[in-house]
Amino acid sequence: MTDFVEYGEGEVVYAIGGPQKWLWGLEKGQVQVRLALIEAEPMLGHMFQFGSWFGESELIQGTDGLIEVTATMPTRLRRGKSWFSAVLRSLMNMG
């Protein structure tokens, strides 16, 4: 299943330690990625713009949010996971 979601400036897409169950594609806008280092406030790690994909690390590792992703302007994202999960299962069964 793939659908579209919209976020306003400053809205968190997903947070460090929070649930993250999707592969995200940036259709419009921009998001910032913040990461937490040991005993430090989260710091800016990257900015994603149109055409970028993110969220795969958590899906591959089966963990919750490893990073915090926040919209920096009105943003439209595509999210999906069923096809990505199917590819991962297929790859794991090949080994």
Side-chain angles (χ1 to χ4, degrees):
M1 175 179 138
T2 298
D3 61 345
F4 295 92
V5 289
E6 307 230 352
Y7 291 87
E9 181 178 348
E11 284 190 85
V12 175
V13 177
Y14 65 90
I16 295 170
Q20 196 326 80
K21 307 296 180 205
W22 304 98
L23 180 65
W24 301 86
L26 210 72
E27 293 283 323
K28 179 185 101 178
Q30 178 176 277
V31 296
Q32 71 175 8
V33 174
R34 292 169 45 99
L35 41 112
L37 303 175
I38 298 172
E39 298 181 21
E41 282 293 312
M43 59 187 294
L44 180 63
H46 193 72
M47 302 289 283
F48 284 118
Q49 297 178 340
F50 171 76
S52 298
W53 291 87
F54 59 92
E56 71 282 354
S57 295
E58 291 89 349
L59 293 177
I60 291 169
Q61 295 180 25
T63 62
D64 286 329
L66 299 171
I67 56 176
E68 177 182 276
V69 179
T70 305
T72 60
M73 62 179 62
T75 298
R76 183 172 194 226
L77 299 170
R78 173 188 300 250
R79 69 180 183 184
K81 71 173 180 178
S82 58
W83 59 271
F84 188 74
S85 296
V87 169
L88 283 178
R89 280 192 302 277
S90 175
L91 290 172
M92 293 173 84
N93 289 332
M94 293 175 79

